[in-house]
Amino acid sequence: MSTERAFRFGRAHHLVGVAGLPEPAAPTAPVGVIVLNAGMVHRVGPFRLHVEITRRLNASGYPTLRFDLSSLGDSSAADESRSQAQQVNADVADAMSLLASHSGCSRFVLLGLCSGAQNAHGAAIDEARVAGAIFLDGYAYRTLGFQLRHYLPRLWSAERWHRFISRSLQARASQGDDVFAVRFPPREQVQRELAAMLDRGLKLRFIYSGGVTRYFNHPRQFRECFGRLADRPQISARLFAGTDHTYALRVDRQRLLDDITTWLRDNFPVSGGSNP
Amino acid sequence: MQVEPAQPCQFGSGGSLFGLYHAVAGRARAAVLLCPPLGQNMIRSHRVYRQLADALAQQGIAALRFDYFGTGDSAGASEESDWVRCVADTVTAAAELRARSGCTRLLGFGARLGGAIALEAAPAARLAELLLWDPVLDGHEYVTGLDAMQEELRVDPMRFSTPRTREDAAGQWLGFPVGAELRGQLEGWRAAPAAVPVRVFDSLPAEAGADRYAQLGTDAEVVALSSTASWDVLDRLEHAILAPDLVRAVVDQLRVAA
């Protein structure tokens, strides 16, 4: 059993979030998990994904907080002159302080989908309290291998051509209209930042969905993108081919939840805890 | 008028229902209970509900937004969502709003299924008047439409690189598991003439028919909005519903009436 508590919090009392706290008698988890907004969707996540993730993690003994960043969902603007990145980092710091005060955790894993993954990456660069991150459809870059896997099969398959063309036409029709559209920084920069995170001891999990085949289409691509960085033991990647970007089907969400829970248990085990 | 930011709250049995109370400075001159739709429409309309509640609070009208059991931040899994429980939760939320605002006379607002739930809950929740935005009035027709959209989603090339099996997509509507109970309850539901005054804010496409609100009774007043809301369009499934004219129309209405 766990309990959820709703809070208004933050340096300007401007953020709204829901903390999930395992029973006080439960074994202490080494980390709390903070879930960031996916695109413009409020803290419950696409198709309530964030509610399902946080409740599953609470049942496994991890305290959680799903919350809205400044100006998203139910949170207000902080009325301060900072860049958007600085504001996100300050919001994440506020979220960690809140969860720390209610759970006793001093270190945290950030989890985000799409722009949430980007924000988690940005916050993890400098924040000492971050122990790890789970990036759902986070950074990756097209490689030669990607191009070959993407275009070669189309050469001989009429059905693939048909699907490719219809996807392209629909994408063109809704250009500039993608609610989850994000812009990636240069690969070298991301590679450098990830290396620095690993040097600080962070543990990182990248999970790609079948909804981002426009830039990631094979598990091998992770190494093609990031080179020897990908061989370090604290970093791993997985591709859920066939799913969509936001896990609209229950069966896909369950697979994702299983992966997240297993990764957390392997990397941040709850001491003396049972595995429900 | 300067208003306080909405206060998150938990109420109902064991604090199982999540809500956001929009207080007003001083004594509220009226209070509106905002009943959300279900499923993806709830997520898509979240922004409009917040904007509406903020706008009402600026007019001195208190508002409560809330999530039914099994939806949003409230307790319960999505598959536990249930029509009877939604109606009961609306009654509970009305009591919460009365206690917080000090207003005994409440108005109800609801979009799509939120409008249907408000209609059903109005007598027990003692809602004095209803403001309904594109309310669902025929459950069977609505269920048929959701089934068709779910089938469309299963094979949507913009979503899946290859079509998904029927088994993978079964028992769900547009991202949300649906229990057999809720499905059956909705299929058998049809709006009866409203027991309280109703004002409908209509942003459905014109082809939906001019007389579609006739079953609410001859007294129901219909306000046509200039924009068309993209409720049932698969391509817009993950886009927020934007409706500035809805917020303006409701606030204008209540500025005079409440």
Side-chain angles (χ1 to χ4, degrees), chain A residues 4 6 8 43 47-48 55 66 71 73-75 163 167 170 177 179-180 242 244 246 248 250 252-253, chain B residues 6 10 18 20 46-47 50 65 70 72-74 76 78 157-161 164 172 175 236 238-239:
Chain A
E4 286 189 334
R8 177 169 283 282
R43 65 195 167 277
F47 313 119
R48 222 177 170 219
R55 289 180 182 172
R66 55 178 188 270
S71 303
D74 292 308
S75 292
R163 293 185 74 80
R167 279 172 82 113
Q170 284 189 46
D177 204 22
V179 280
F180 295 105
D244 62 333
T246 46
R250 176 170 42 190
D252 295 339
R253 281 202 296 276
Chain B
Q10 289 165 283
F18 172 86
L20 279 141
H46 179 269
R47 191 84 183 163
R50 177 185 166 176
R65 294 187 281 140
D73 282 309
S74 287
S78 299
M158 286 300 284
R159 184 168 288 276
F160 300 112
S161 51
R164 300 297 297 264
Q172 298 152 83
R236 310 295 297 176
E238 300 195 53
H239 291 249

Side-chain angles (χ1 to χ4, degrees), chain B residues 129-159:
Chain B
E129 189 178 329
L130 295 177
L131 307 159
L132 308 180
W133 178 23
D134 297 338
V136 172
L137 300 177
D138 184 325
H140 175 74
E141 186 182 271
Y142 190 65
V143 166
T144 305
L146 285 172
D147 283 345
M149 282 179 74
Q150 177 70 7
E151 177 59 15
E152 217 183 313
L153 176 142
R154 182 181 74 78
V155 299
D156 181 4
M158 286 300 284
R159 184 168 288 276

